Amino acid sequence: MSTCSTVSQDLDEPIAGTAATATTWLLLEQPGPWGAKALTQSHLDPALGRALEAAAKGTGVRVALIRRPGRHADCGPLAERQVYVAHTVPGKVWLRTATTHDPRQLLDLDFAALGMGDHHTFDLVLQGRPHTGDPLALVCTNGKRDRCCALLGRPLAAELSGSGVEGVWEVTHLGGHRFSPTLLVLPYGYAYGRAQAHAVKEVLHSVQQGRIVVEGCRGNSAWERPGQAAELAVRRATGEDAAGTLSVVRTDGAAPRWEVTVAHVDGRHWRVSVGQGASLPPRPESCGSVLGSPARMDVVAVHELTMTTALAS
């Protein structure tokens, strides 16, 4: 059976620079079935879903629903829901956790502050606290959004959970259906595509040690797409795998060409030329869609800057 993910893989479509963009992720537990637009098409009150979408708009916060791996029969109202919030900008990464009996409490959060890395209202409203467990592995399984997410994502989530991996959740939407199975790893916010269980376990083990696996990585959600591709290119060029060491400090230009400056905490800087190309031949961007030529991020050059050049820029 040909699906958008099999076509993308057969065409060897690059995945760097394809992660969803969000400085902060707000995750609310919602079991049961999800529709294509899960915030307003699930057993969550659709009025609340619309209000959360409106509150998050333009703040850098992305709201998603999560559920435990397994069957998703309607078991009635959930007495207590798990809530997570994670800020993914290097240098001030954090992951907080809480529970709530009333998801409407989320509307009392300061979304603009969350997007900028301030978790004060999360702690105040929900009695939030630091997450001290294993990293979170959020596997996209929303088959109503794209069948590949169900066909490939749900078995991956089940396999990880069944093998004892802690912190595995199903999540509503991470973008890039054609790269299924896709997942987001928190707290650092790196997304992965075409994931296999053994590779995910390596990613999670590395995250526990404060390291980032580049293989299969779509990018860090803290950056826009050119910055995602640029940061990964610097990691490949230098072999740097420590989390939190690289930041996108400047992006000049506009599509189809950008000059991205990537900085290391030790003072080194690189200028990365990134071009936007069209993926050819045309392919479905998701199952059931018409053929298209999705944009791709192509790294043209990586140049390490001298200290004088870096300061001047």
Side-chain angles (χ1 to χ4, degrees):
M1 177 177 62
S2 179
T3 62
C4 66
S5 59
T6 57
V7 172
S8 176
Q9 186 156 14
D10 289 346
L11 293 174
D12 197 24
E13 183 178 351
I15 65 174
T18 66
T21 301
T23 56
T24 301
W25 292 81
L26 179 60
L27 308 168
L28 172 65
E29 184 178 4
Q30 176 58 59
W34 296 333
K37 297 180 179 179
L39 276 178
T40 55
Q41 297 175 341
S42 69
H43 290 169
L44 184 70
D45 179 359
L48 173 58
R50 286 190 292 271
L52 289 171
E53 288 178 332
K57 189 173 182 179
T59 65
V61 177
R62 188 174 176 116
V63 184
L65 303 181
I66 57 174
R67 64 190 177 194
R68 302 284 184 181
R71 297 186 64 183
H72 305 298
D74 183 358
C75 299
L78 188 67
E80 187 174 71
R81 300 166 188 258
Q82 185 69 47
V83 186
Y84 295 104
V85 65
H87 189 63
T88 62
V89 176
K92 52 180 181 179
V93 168
W94 47 256
L95 174 59
R96 314 286 289 184
T97 182
T99 56
T100 182
H101 296 280
D102 182 1
R104 290 175 295 183
Q105 285 186 294
L106 272 63
L107 295 177
D108 294 328
L109 300 176
D110 185 336
F111 281 76
L114 287 174
M116 293 186 289
D118 179 357
H119 52 72
H120 174 73
T121 60
F122 184 83
D123 297 348
L124 184 66
V125 172
L126 297 170
Q127 288 73 57
R129 59 198 181 277
H131 173 73
T132 56
D134 290 340
L136 301 186
L138 308 168
V139 182
C140 184
T141 62
N142 191 350
K144 290 295 177 66
R145 190 94 184 192
D146 190 283
R147 62 177 173 169
C148 286
C149 298
L151 292 173
L152 301 174
R154 290 192 64 188
L156 174 63
E159 181 178 355
L160 290 170
S161 180
S163 64
V165 176
E166 299 292 336
V168 180
W169 292 85
E170 299 186 8
V171 69
T172 46
H173 182 50
L174 297 176
H177 321 290
R178 63 192 184 281
F179 305 121
S180 294
T182 63
L183 75 149
L184 177 74
V185 178
L186 295 175
Y188 296 115
Y190 285 84
Y192 290 82
R194 301 178 186 140
Q196 302 298 318
H198 68 277
V200 175
K201 291 176 182 178
E202 180 187 352
V203 167
L204 296 175
H205 178 69
S206 296
V207 166
Q208 287 179 311
Q209 299 178 330
R211 297 185 295 108
I212 302 302
V213 172
V214 173
E215 186 67 28
C217 189
R218 299 175 62 194
N220 186 335
S221 71
W223 315 127
E224 297 293 335
R225 293 186 61 185
Q228 294 172 14
E231 188 225 346
L232 291 176
V234 171
R235 287 191 178 277
R236 290 192 182 92
T238 62
E240 178 60 81
D241 66 354
T245 54
L246 296 177
S247 294
V248 175
V249 296
R250 180 169 177 169
T251 301
D252 296 309
R257 182 71 174 237
W258 298 267
E259 296 294 327
V260 181
T261 304
V262 178
H264 195 288
V265 291
D266 66 10
R268 287 179 292 165
H269 286 70
W270 293 264
R271 182 159 295 150
V272 184
S273 300
V274 180
Q276 178 176 296
S279 297
L280 296 172
R283 77 284 313 275
E285 294 190 45
S286 62
C287 288
S289 70
V290 297
L291 296 182
S293 300
R296 52 185 281 172
M297 296 292 111
D298 295 317
V299 172
V300 179
V302 179
H303 295 296
E304 185 171 357
L305 303 177
T306 64
M307 188 63 69
T308 302
T309 304
L311 291 172
S313 64

